[in-house]
Amino acid sequence: GRGGVMSFREPLARLRSAFATSVEDHQHFDCPRGSRLRRWLRRAALSLERFARFPAAERRACGLNVYLDLLAPPLGRRDTEAARLQRALARVARLPLVALTEEFSRSLALLDAALDLRLGHFPAVYTYNPRDSRAAANLSARAARALSSDLRPDRLLYEAAVRRFAALWRRQFGGEPADGSRGAAGSGQLFQCAWGRARCWDKLSTSHQGWSEPA
C-alpha cells in the first residue's frame, strides 16, 4: 500500500524501554529459541549492560532493528541489510504521517490538523513505564556505543523519520515546529494530562481500569 501513520522513537531509548519491560513479560524484546541469550533472559539474569558484552552477531540475532524489520522484511536469503535499508528509507520518505515519541505534543498537533481529529475535545495523556528496572539502568558509554552500532539501521531510519516529520509539519503549518507543549498554530489546545481536570490514564493503577476521573 501507500503507507499510513508510523510512530518512531530514538532507537537506543526504545531498546532500553523494551528490554526493561521484557525482563518481566518477554514480549517487547526476546532472542531466538535455543540461544544462550534467550536462556539468560528467561532467568532474569541479564542486564542490558551485560547483554552489550556478548558478541555482536549474537546480539543482533535478537531482532534489535524493529523499524527495519517492519518497513523492509527480508525478501529471501540473498536480501542484504543494505538493500533492505534502502527500501525502508524510501518508505519513510513517502509516509503520509509520522509521529515521534520525542515530539509527542507536536505529533498530536500534526495528526490533529492532518486528520481533523479535534483532539482538543479528547485530551491526550503522557503515559510512563512503571517498571523502573535496574536491568536497563546505568548503561556505560562502552555498552551504549556497542548497542548504537547494532542499531545503525534503525538510527538511520529514525533520522529519516525526523526529517519527514519536519517536512510534513512545514507542509501543514508553513514553518518549523515551535517549542512547547501547546497545539498547532497557537490553537491553545493542551496536549498533556491535566490531573483533576481531565480523564488521565494511570499505568500504576491497581484497579485494572487506569482512568482517573475529575474531582
Side-chain angles (χ1 to χ4, degrees):
R2 297 180 62 183
V5 181
M6 185 164 177
S7 177
F8 293 81
R9 183 178 183 181
E10 192 283 317
L12 185 56
R14 187 209 61 78
L15 175 60
R16 291 176 69 132
S17 177
F19 192 95
T21 301
S22 293
V23 168
E24 181 177 310
D25 64 18
H26 308 296
Q27 294 181 10
H28 293 76
F29 177 88
D30 208 349
C31 294
R33 291 181 180 274
S35 68
R36 59 174 176 167
L37 279 172
R38 184 183 174 95
R39 292 194 295 272
W40 278 73
L41 284 169
R42 289 298 185 278
R43 295 200 301 265
L46 189 65
S47 66
L48 194 56
E49 179 75 25
R50 182 174 289 180
F51 174 81
R53 297 175 190 165
F54 280 76
E58 290 188 58
R59 297 194 306 264
R60 295 174 186 179
C62 296
L64 303 183
N65 290 285
V66 295
Y67 302 139
L68 180 66
D69 290 340
L70 284 170
L71 290 162
L75 298 179
R77 292 183 178 180
R78 295 186 179 182
D79 198 12
T80 65
E81 183 178 278
R84 294 175 60 203
L85 180 58
Q86 290 307 307
R87 295 200 304 273
L89 287 168
R91 292 195 67 182
V92 172
R94 297 193 303 269
L95 283 172
L97 283 171
V98 169
L100 303 173
T101 298
E102 291 77 13
E103 298 285 1
F104 182 73
S105 292
R106 296 172 207 171
S107 295
L108 289 175
L110 179 61
L111 296 176
D112 182 33
L115 302 177
D116 192 27
L117 299 177
R118 302 182 184 182
L119 291 173
H121 301 290
F122 302 93
V125 179
Y126 289 113
T127 59
Y128 51 93
N129 193 334
R131 302 171 178 86
D132 185 16
S133 173
R134 296 179 181 177
N138 303 318
L139 199 62
S140 69
R142 180 180 179 277
R145 286 194 300 271
L147 295 173
S148 292
S149 178
D150 294 341
L151 292 165
R152 179 181 176 273
D154 269 13
R155 287 193 295 106
L156 292 173
L157 291 168
Y158 175 77
E159 291 167 6
V162 171
R163 294 192 296 271
R164 181 60 174 164
F165 178 84
L168 291 168
W169 185 281
R170 287 193 297 271
R171 181 187 302 174
Q172 189 69 45
F173 302 119
E176 296 298 325
D179 191 23
S181 61
R182 287 199 169 270
S187 65
Q189 295 172 352
L190 186 62
F191 295 128
Q192 61 185 12
C193 187
W195 292 98
R197 293 190 293 110
R199 289 163 59 93
C200 299
W201 177 254
D202 182 6
K203 284 187 177 180
L204 295 181
S205 171
T206 58
S207 69
H208 303 292
Q209 295 178 355
W211 287 107
S212 173
E213 297 285 357

